Every structure is written in structure tokens, then in C-alpha cells.
Amino acid sequence: PGPCSSEGRAVRGSVMGTEAEGAGEFNLRRVKKPVFESFEQLERELQERTQRIEAQRESVLRQRDAAQRRREELVTLRAELERQRAAAVSASYGLLACFYKPPNLQKIEADSRKERRREIANYATFAFEAADDDDDRELTVEELRRIEGDNAETVMREADVDGSGTLSKREYVNYKMHVAKQVGKLARKAFKAADINDDGDLTLEQLREIEGDNAEKVMREADVDGGGTLSKREYVDYKMRVAARGAAQH
């Protein structure tokens, strides 16, 4: 058929259409490459930003943990210094001690215990929030392992009072406070047994009787007033602080 015939025009149109489609495919491939490259670059930037945020989060958590530990130690130190001051002032009166009204040591101890319980609750709350990755206010066993390590299954079994298979913040905090209280009772008995001369302080040698090879570490971490010995308060408070922390946090 001739170029001006209907058949010729149809063939020419078909060829032009095919060429246009080919050009469209070529342009699409050419555009797709930079688009995918842009997506890959964005994904890399997002991963890097996520890593930086996670590193900053871990740094903040470490700083918060250190500050919490120091606050707990200061609770013990303040009560210990108040007791020492009261004893020193009383001794300075000598024969006139009968005219001296000493501070209420029972009140000092009661205030110290109240502060100690508050700090244990604060730490348990902090640990819970740090482990709650998805911020759903519940800890799964996997999340619990971040703070309890291999002890996570035991903690879940003992602390999950409603049997839901997860721990609420209240369940976890109450459990850690209960554990710390029980450990405190055992620590008082252990201290009394080790204090063979009944002077109210444990030397390193006496501490070895109940702490074994761990005695040096306990002395270093529990001796908040730097006296080189441990009072009952220093030892008991230390054991309670350690108990309040998860197995993976010691």
C-alpha cells in the first residue's frame, strides 16, 4: 500500500507508537535508578541516625544509673554520719552526759529506711522504663532479660501476680522491694554472726567469713564513709541495693 493509503497510515502509526513505547521504557529505567539510589541513601541516613539516637540513649541511661547509685549511697552515708555524730557528741560530754539529750536514733533509722525504700522503688522504676523498649508499660520475658539476665524466667514467674505472662511496672517494683526487704533481713543476721567482737563494725577479715572471695569488692563498694570497716547499716544497705538491681545490672 502507498504511504497515503489507509493501510500505509496505519502501518506508520503503529511504528511510531512502538517507538514511543520504547522511548517511554527507556526513560522509566533512567528515572528509576536515581530514585532507588535516593531511597537507599535515605535508608542509610535513617540507620545512622537511629544508631546515634540509641548510643545517646545508652549514655543517658548510664548517667542516670550512676546518679541513682550515688543517691542510694548518700542515703546510707547521711544516716551513718548522723549516728557517728550523735555518738561523738555524747562521748564529749563525759560525766555531764546525763544532761545531754541525744538525737532520736530510732527516728534516724526510721527516716533512713523510708529513704532507702523510696530509692529502691526509684531504681526499679528506672530499670523497668529502660527495659520497656516498645513503651507499652509491660515487660515481656525478652525485655526482662535486659535487667535480670538468666534470672528473667524466675522473676517473671514470681512477680507476675495476675498471671498475664508480662510484668506491669507495679508488679516489678513491688517484687524488687519485697526481694530487697528479705535480703535485708538475711544481711542483718549475717552481720551479727560475723561481728564476733560485737563492736558494730566488720573488718575485711570478718567480712570474708560471710562474703568469701567477694569480700574486697563488697568492702570497696559498701564502705560509703571510707572508714575501712563496715557498719551494719553500710552492709545491710549495700546488700539491699544489690538485690534491688537485676542480675544483669550488678
Side-chain angles (χ1 to χ4, degrees):
C4 295
S5 65
S6 59
E7 292 85 351
R9 286 194 296 271
V11 170
R12 189 168 61 252
S14 176
V15 171
M16 292 176 64
T18 302
E19 292 176 348
E21 290 177 3
E25 291 177 2
F26 173 77
N27 290 337
L28 180 59
R29 287 195 298 271
R30 187 173 60 186
V31 169
K32 283 170 64 177
K33 183 177 180 180
V35 169
F36 283 129
E37 289 177 348
S38 297
F39 279 137
E40 290 173 354
Q41 178 64 27
L42 287 173
E43 186 175 359
R44 286 193 297 271
E45 292 177 357
L46 181 60
Q47 290 176 346
E48 292 173 357
R49 185 175 301 177
T50 301
Q51 291 172 354
R52 288 197 299 270
I53 292 174
E54 184 62 25
Q56 293 172 355
R57 177 176 178 270
E58 291 297 329
S59 177
V60 169
L61 291 178
R62 285 193 298 271
Q63 293 174 14
R64 185 177 173 184
D65 180 59
Q68 178 63 35
R69 288 173 185 259
R70 186 55 183 158
R71 281 197 299 270
E72 293 171 5
E73 292 172 354
L74 289 175
V75 169
T76 302
L77 179 60
R78 180 166 59 188
E80 187 63 19
L81 293 178
E82 287 179 352
R83 182 188 68 81
Q84 293 176 10
R85 176 180 176 275
V89 171
S90 179
S92 69
Y93 272 75
L95 297 175
L96 299 177
C98 58
F99 298 104
Y100 170 65
K101 183 179 180 181
N104 189 332
L105 296 181
Q106 289 184 339
K107 184 178 185 304
I108 292 175
E109 179 62 25
D111 290 344
S112 175
R113 290 188 179 188
K114 185 184 298 184
E115 285 187 282
R116 186 192 307 137
R117 288 194 297 269
R118 184 177 66 245
E119 292 304 327
I120 289 172
N122 286 343
Y123 184 82
T125 299
F126 155 67
F128 182 99
E129 293 172 351
D132 185 17
D133 287 332
D134 53 8
D135 293 324
D136 64 350
R137 300 182 181 181
E138 293 182 337
L139 294 187
T140 62
V141 172
E142 290 71 23
E143 290 173 323
L144 192 57
R145 282 198 186 93
R146 293 186 58 184
I147 46 179
E148 295 294 343
D150 294 338
N151 203 37
E153 284 78 6
T154 299
V155 174
M156 179 65 75
R157 184 171 60 252
E158 295 179 353
D160 182 21
V161 294
D162 64 1
S164 65
T166 59
L167 291 187
S168 67
K169 186 185 296 185
R170 180 182 295 276
E171 286 177 321
Y172 184 70
V173 171
N174 287 347
Y175 173 77
K176 298 306 287 188
M177 292 185 68
H178 171 73
V179 168
K181 182 178 180 180
Q182 297 305 310
V183 167
K185 291 180 179 178
L186 294 175
R188 291 184 186 92
K189 292 180 180 179
F191 185 97
K192 183 177 181 179
D195 186 20
I196 55 177
N197 56 353
D198 201 28
D199 66 350
D201 289 300
L202 295 186
T203 64
L204 184 58
E205 289 70 26
Q206 291 172 323
L207 190 59
R208 283 197 182 96
E209 294 298 318
I210 51 178
E211 292 292 342
D213 294 338
N214 204 39
E216 286 79 3
K217 179 178 183 291
V218 174
M219 179 64 76
R220 183 173 62 252
E221 296 180 355
D223 183 19
V224 295
D225 68 356
T229 58
L230 293 187
S231 68
K232 181 165 69 174
R233 177 179 285 106
E234 286 177 316
Y235 181 69
V236 172
D237 283 9
Y238 171 77
K239 299 298 284 187
M240 291 180 69
R241 289 198 301 272
V242 171
R245 282 167 167 73
Q249 304 291 306
H250 294 173

